[in-house]
Amino acid sequence: MKVLLSSIAKNDIRLLMRVFNAEKEHKGAYFLEDLKESIKQIIENPEDLEAEHLQMAMQNFPVYIHYLFENEKSLFITAIFKEIN
């Protein structure tokens, strides 16, 4: 399945990598690897392909991935939000 990122999602990823790197060295790289694994989970276990908009909480980071399926062949990541404590 093809994974597409909105320009907002790309900026969110860059910003979150900087935020996590500021917390601890190399944490941004760990975030990126965990994000890839989370996206892989979305692809392997799709919830409702017909749903208008879906979200998934990442396991190891306080982050939510917002996405939708454009068709059976494309996953579109619309935004990535960090949970605020």
Side-chain angles (χ1 to χ4, degrees):
M1 182 175 286
K2 186 187 292 188
V3 177
L4 306 170
L5 295 171
S6 71
S7 58
I8 292 170
K10 289 177 187 176
N11 288 334
D12 292 342
I13 292 167
R14 287 185 197 110
L15 175 64
L16 288 170
M17 286 184 69
R18 286 195 305 265
V19 167
F20 290 126
N21 275 332
E23 291 176 6
K24 184 178 178 186
E25 191 174 356
H26 304 297
K27 192 173 180 182
Y30 297 135
F31 162 72
L32 190 57
E33 288 305 312
D34 198 49
L35 177 63
K36 290 176 185 178
E37 284 300 313
S38 297
I39 291 171
K40 188 194 270 186
Q41 285 180 347
I42 293 169
I43 292 169
E44 291 173 354
N45 304 306
E47 289 180 25
D48 183 4
L49 294 176
E50 300 299 319
E52 191 167 315
H53 197 83
L54 300 165
Q55 73 176 7
M56 175 189 173
M58 290 179 61
Q59 251 183 333
N60 301 317
F61 289 87
V63 173
Y64 289 90
I65 303 168
H66 292 257
Y67 63 95
L68 54 93
F69 291 98
E70 290 192 318
N71 52 45
E72 291 94 32
K73 297 179 182 175
S74 296
L75 170 66
F76 185 57
I77 309 293
T78 57
I80 300 172
F81 293 103
K82 183 176 185 289
E83 185 177 290
I84 298 176
N85 298 333

